[in-house]
Amino acid sequence: MAADLSFNRLPCNERAEIEITVEGQTVIALEGETVAAAVMYAGLRPTRTTPVSGSGRAPYCMMGVCFECLMNIDGKPNTQACMTEVHKGMVISVQQGAREVGGDSI
Amino acid sequence: MTGLEQYDLVIIGAGPAGMAAAREAGEAGLNTLILDEQPRAGGQIYRNIGRPILRDRSILGNDYYVGESLLAGLTHSLVTHIVNATVWEVTADNTLYYSAEGVSRQVRFKKLLLATGAQERPVPFDGWTLPGVMTCGAAQILLKSSGLTPAEPLVIAGSGPLLLLIACQLIRTDARIEAIVDTTPACNYGQAFKEIGGAIKGWRYLLKGMRMLNEVRRSGVKYYKSATELRAEPGGDGNLASVSFRKGNILHQLDCKTLLVHQGVVPNTQLGRAIGLEHQWDEVQQCWKPTLSENGCSSHPDIFIAGDSAGIGGAMVAEIQGRLVARWIVHQLGGTERRDPGIDSLRKELIDQLAIRPFLDHLYRPLDMFLKPQGETIVCRCEEVSAAEIRGLVKQGCIGPNQTKAFCRSGMGPCQGRQCGATVTTLLADELGKSPVEVGYYNIRFPIKPVSLGELAGLNQTRSVKAQTDQTTARN
Ligand SMILES: Cc1cc2nc3c(=O)[nH]c(=O)nc-3n(C[C@H](O)[C@H](O)[C@H](O)COP(=O)(O)OP(=O)(O)OC[C@H]3O[C@@H](n4cnc5c(N)ncnc54)[C@H](O)[C@@H]3O)c2cc1C
Ligand code: FES
């Protein structure tokens, strides 16, 4: 994670702060926001690597249509970070490769 | 199938179209279910409107906060609103399957309204897959739901009214924007001018556009008009480092950490495709849209479509269509002969609101480099298939999008063709010298979003067996 890649937080209405773990580091997220937003606030880039060439990717559409935001969330690979809300104690890591969406998914 | 919950009307999508329809339906006495995969109602334009996050309301502007009034439609006692609910299958026998909080459920409907909105048009160009390149809509979603502005230096590149709106919203946050690179082709202005009659009828939209252009000008942000040859370059770490483009004879290069791109929005047709509804190609908007009757009925008599998923019209049109279609459904289910006069006045409103569209559609038709990419530009992001590869398949005898899946896996990745589908059709049409209609589109299969086997096990036995068989067929 790099400070110069962090997204900037504007003055916000009251929201609880939540501690989550991103790539082993403790990060503060806001209650109600998505994992994708939280990791961009933290300056994480890339958030996954592709199974084909290993190139880095990061969230692209934020609305569930591109599947570029797939990450390991609470031990579950291939989870859409832009469609998953943060919760206290959540553990998130970069997804390396992995072609099939969810080991037990169809 | 017995014992399943049954509704008069099920609405998919709680944006302006879905919320307006829910209100009409509830008030007319229909037992209504509205499902949305987002945690809160609002859709794209009014995302998170029930719980606005930004302290400074001037950033998103009044056009955002007017959405608050639509939420009331969801509180009617006959309307059930389920959040975080992704619809992944609809069958011809009026049954719908959705997944919420890790559990899949099925419900039956008399009538179904798809109000699933739009997605931003995929804009393939060299470097669009780099971490740091995201869509303008994505940046706006971050602003509306998290109060975040992108890492700087920041460049905005592309074309369309939404690009201008988002540029203005970011300018109001004091984010440092290095440049706005407008790729609207110079020749579009002449084409659009032929539609000036409609633009004058839709003068409110025109005025809004001019105000936004003024706001950009006053801000002092560098604005490059009629730019071409857009390209994003990585740094040593593989992330986005700079963007280049041509303006006249000069090649510009700007360092940036975030590049926001946009080339308009297109109807989200994924669900309608999977159901097997009829679609048509819109030559001006360069996208697919469902074939509908004037009351929004699709090629299936019980399935209706309203809002941007019916064809791009914007938030006001979505709201009016939602109301119109709901009233028509009420009329149909009521079995009365008498026409609801409200439907006619809504139809008139719709015509007024749509008057500006031909002007906008001609003005913001994307540059050919985005519609018909060449060379090594990646087309299928999931499987990393280039434009040259897709074009080359024609020489090997490939005649349609479904064959490209077998040849090079394009459209086989997790996004199920949402990012490459239209481009693959256009490229094949280009190489074969055919129209997009003749070339066709990918067959989209259920489930349209990944569902875990554990979830399926919770549904009745026949269902899960069928889904697995379908999937096996899809993979073969
Ligand atoms: C990212 C983005 C930002 C936009 N911002 C603006 C803006 O600021 N101003 C503006 O005028 N226009 C904006 N637009 C254009 C916008 O599409 C329309 O103005 C308006 O939102 C259309 O309303 P709608 O009701 O048709 O669809 P939407 O508002 O898009 O609502 C559709 C809803 O359907 C839900 N949905 C889709 N598929 C499923 C499924 N399978 N299961 C469950 N739920 C599903 C979605 O979660 C969404 O909430 C934006 C478009 C996009 C894509
Ligand atoms: S960022 Fe596109 S699906 Fe999540």
Side-chain angles (χ1 to χ4, degrees):
Chain A
M1 281 181 283
D4 64 338
L5 292 178
S6 296
F7 279 38
N8 316 304
R9 185 93 68 189
L10 298 168
C12 286
N13 291 322
E14 205 55 43
R15 290 285 191 283
E17 293 192 340
I18 294 179
E19 273 192 10
I20 57 172
T21 308
V22 179
E23 288 287 290
Q25 289 179 38
T26 303
V27 161
I28 303 294
L30 291 190
E31 173 259 319
E33 75 181 345
T34 62
V35 172
V39 299
M40 282 191 274
Y41 176 58
L44 183 68
R45 199 182 274 184
T47 55
R48 75 166 182 122
T49 60
T50 66
V52 182
S53 69
S55 63
R57 296 286 171 88
Y60 174 74
C61 74
M62 288 302 289
M63 57 175 287
V65 296
C66 74
F67 288 73
E68 289 294 8
C69 62
L70 298 176
M71 297 188 76
N72 287 304
I73 302 178
D74 282 340
K76 220 176 134 220
N78 282 306
T79 311
Q80 273 181 298
C82 76
M83 302 294 283
T84 310
E85 269 191 50
V86 290
H87 64 73
K88 190 165 173 273
M90 198 175 229
V91 179
I92 301 151
S93 62
V94 170
Q95 169 161 316
Q96 312 284 353
R99 183 183 294 242
E100 297 306 326
V101 176
D104 70 339
S105 286
I106 64 165
Chain B
M1 258 181 267
T2 50
L4 283 181
E5 258 184 297
Q6 158 135 350
Y7 290 87
D8 296 323
L9 174 63
V10 176
I11 302 170
I12 308 173
M19 289 192 287
R23 178 180 203 136
E24 292 285 339
E27 285 175 357
L30 297 192
N31 192 14
T32 304
L33 172 67
I34 178 164
L35 302 165
D36 197 297
E37 59 185 342
Q38 289 298 324
R40 274 169 289 279
Q44 299 310 345
I45 175 161
Y46 307 128
R47 210 177 234 257
N48 212 25
I49 188 68
R51 232 183 138 210
I53 192 157
L54 289 174
R55 209 174 287 164
D56 179 354
R57 285 167 78 103
S58 71
I59 293 171
L60 293 172
N62 196 41
D63 283 354
Y64 173 67
Y65 295 94
V66 293
E68 284 172 333
S69 65
L70 283 166
L71 292 172
L74 303 180
T75 54
H76 194 281
S77 61
L78 282 175
V79 176
T80 310
H81 173 209
I82 303 183
V83 298
N84 295 319
T86 303
V87 176
W88 50 264
E89 177 160 357
V90 176
T91 51
D93 64 349
N94 294 28
T95 308
L96 167 151
Y97 299 83
Y98 70 91
S99 160
E101 320 283 354
V103 181
S104 277
R105 294 203 172 79
Q106 52 191 335
V107 292
R108 304 212 5 111
F109 56 83
K110 286 188 189 154
K111 301 284 174 189
L112 177 68
L113 175 60
L114 308 184
T116 52
Q119 69 165 71
E120 284 173 283
R121 183 195 298 280
V123 286
F125 62 91
D126 284 349
W128 73 309
T129 55
L130 293 173
V133 180
M134 57 163 52
T135 69
C136 281
Q140 197 197 36
I141 287 168
L142 286 163
L143 198 55
K144 287 172 180 171
S145 353
S146 284
L148 292 178
T149 61
E152 297 166 3
L154 162 67
V155 174
I156 302 177
S159 177
L162 210 54
L163 177 136
L164 272 183
L165 173 65
I166 291 157
C168 289
Q169 290 169 335
L170 286 171
I171 286 168
R172 292 173 209 150
T173 69
D174 291 329
R176 216 182 77 230
I177 304 173
E178 296 309 305
I180 297 171
V181 181
D182 188 335
T183 64
T184 309
C187 60
N188 283 12
Y189 293 90
Q191 289 295 329
F193 195 73
K194 293 185 191 145
E195 308 291 341
I196 196 72
I200 291 166
K201 269 197 213 120
W203 61 273
R204 283 191 184 82
Y205 287 102
L206 211 55
L207 191 67
K208 222 179 253 180
M210 275 157 22
R211 282 212 186 107
M212 290 194 291
L213 271 172
N214 251 332
E215 191 171 346
V216 168
R217 257 183 225 127
R218 276 202 320 270
S219 73
V221 172
K222 275 208 201 89
Y223 187 86
Y224 297 91
K225 222 173 138 180
S226 309
T228 58
E229 295 176 33
L230 185 69
R231 213 186 149 86
E233 309 272 359
D237 59 358
N239 291 327
L240 170 75
S242 69
V243 56
S244 66
F245 57 93
R246 179 180 294 281
K247 158 92 188 142
N249 293 327
I250 305 168
L251 206 59
H252 296 264
Q253 185 165 29
L254 303 171
D255 289 344
C256 62
K257 294 242 157 55
T258 310
L259 172 62
L260 304 182
V261 293
H262 183 76
Q263 293 290 333
V265 297
V266 295
N268 168 6
T269 55
Q270 202 75 3
L271 197 50
R273 283 271 177 200
I275 297 170
L277 303 181
E278 220 177 282
H279 286 75
Q280 62 196 68
W281 178 254
D282 185 321
E283 188 52 38
V284 182
Q285 290 189 353
Q286 291 283 303
C287 64
W288 297 99
K289 59 182 189 191
T291 305
L292 300 173
S293 77
E294 59 176 0
N295 298 312
C297 189
S298 73
S299 54
H300 184 298
D302 294 327
I303 302 180
F304 292 75
I305 309 184
D308 271 2
S309 51
I312 302 305
M316 284 309 296
V317 167
E319 195 180 324
I320 300 167
Q321 278 177 341
R323 291 171 60 200
L324 195 156
V325 174
R327 279 181 173 233
W328 180 253
I329 290 172
V330 168
H331 167 76
Q332 274 199 335
L333 289 178
T336 50
E337 280 298 308
R338 205 172 57 82
R339 266 182 81 81
D340 174 352
I343 291 181
D344 293 325
S345 63
L346 285 169
R347 220 175 261 153
K348 272 199 207 96
E349 261 186 76
L350 207 53
I351 291 170
D352 287 349
Q353 288 286 343
L354 284 169
I356 185 88
R357 289 312 311 185
F359 176 81
L360 291 179
D361 295 343
H362 282 97
L363 182 58
Y364 293 122
R365 188 189 146 111
L367 261 182
D368 265 358
M369 70 167 278
F370 301 115
L371 297 175
K372 298 174 186 169
Q374 306 271 355
E376 292 314 303
T377 301
I378 286 182
V379 168
C380 169
R381 298 177 64 110
C382 297
E383 297 294 334
E384 298 181 63
V385 183
S386 70
E389 226 173 319
I390 299 282
R391 289 178 183 275
L393 291 181
V394 170
K395 293 193 185 68
Q396 296 175 45
C398 175
I399 52 159
N402 292 303
Q403 283 184 324
T404 65
K405 292 187 182 180
F407 276 105
C408 67
R409 287 190 60 89
S410 71
M412 297 282 281
C415 94
Q416 293 178 303
R418 287 170 174 90
Q419 293 296 315
C420 68
T423 315
V424 166
T425 293
T426 312
L427 292 185
L428 293 180
D430 204 29
E431 291 294 321
L432 290 161
K434 289 185 176 174
S435 71
V437 181
E438 288 172 291
V439 169
Y441 192 74
Y442 289 138
N443 289 331
I444 305 298
R445 312 255 177 185
F446 294 120
I448 63 157
K449 282 281 176 87
V451 188
S452 74
L453 292 178
E455 277 189 63
L456 288 178
L459 291 168
N460 70 34
Q461 203 57 37
T462 46
R463 162 63 250 166
S464 50
V465 170
K466 180 181 173 295
Q468 287 170 49
T469 327
D470 279 356
Q471 189 60 23
T472 319
T473 330
R475 288 211 173 120
N476 294 339

